[in-house]
Amino acid sequence: MASRATITLFHNPRCSTSRNAAKLLAEASESTHTFTIDTIEYLKHPLTAAQIKDILGFLDVDHHPEVYAEFLRKDAPKAETVEQVQEILVNDPAMLQRPLVVDWNKKKAVIGRPAEAVLNIVKDL
């Protein structure tokens, strides 16, 4: 039997979109048995600068600079570089747009707005 992939959900349980995304992922995991979910409450365990850089790379920010704005909440300071995003999120993890789902092995990431978007990362597992 093949091993199951693990995806990471950066989650805020106080956010309804994040809760909906977590539910959709749990249902998909249970029905397909192809992946497990590593849920991280990013307000308690913030992303590191290295994780932020990797995820922005997975989102192909070099070819899609609009990702800088999508990666942060609408009320976050404007960022135009990886370093600016890192500084914003290291200083205030709450500025992360959530939910965020990452497949570290396949180097893919999805911002879960709307919540159903998170299913894009697991459709090929």
Side-chain angles (χ1 to χ4, degrees):
M1 176 191 258
S3 65
R4 294 170 66 173
T6 299
I7 61 164
T8 301
L9 169 64
F10 290 97
H11 177 57
N12 179 351
R14 296 182 64 194
C15 170
S16 62
T17 303
S18 194
R19 288 192 309 269
N20 289 339
K23 181 180 177 190
L24 289 168
L25 287 170
E27 289 169 354
S29 175
E30 192 145 319
S31 68
T32 65
H33 302 286
T34 57
F35 67 96
T36 59
I37 307 160
D38 178 24
T39 301
I40 298 175
E41 291 187 30
Y42 66 88
L43 294 176
K44 294 179 182 177
H45 306 284
L47 281 79
T48 66
Q51 287 174 316
I52 294 165
K53 181 178 180 181
D54 287 346
I55 295 167
L56 287 171
F58 300 166
L59 292 168
D60 198 17
V61 74
D62 290 338
H63 295 102
H64 300 283
E66 68 276 9
V67 167
Y68 289 120
E70 295 167 1
F71 196 70
L72 299 170
R73 289 184 1 193
K74 289 183 181 9
D75 58 339
K78 185 175 178 168
E80 296 178 344
T81 67
V82 170
E83 293 77 15
Q84 289 173 340
V85 173
Q86 289 170 318
E87 183 178 348
I88 291 165
L89 291 178
V90 166
N91 290 323
D92 188 357
M95 291 293 108
L96 177 69
Q97 184 61 273
R98 75 269 177 207
L100 176 66
V101 180
V102 180
D103 181 334
W104 300 101
N105 291 327
K106 289 193 174 186
K107 300 183 182 334
K108 292 173 34 177
V110 173
I111 300 166
R113 294 285 170 154
E116 294 77 16
V118 299
L119 296 176
N120 290 332
I121 205 161
V122 299
K123 66 182 177 186
D124 296 326
L125 294 177

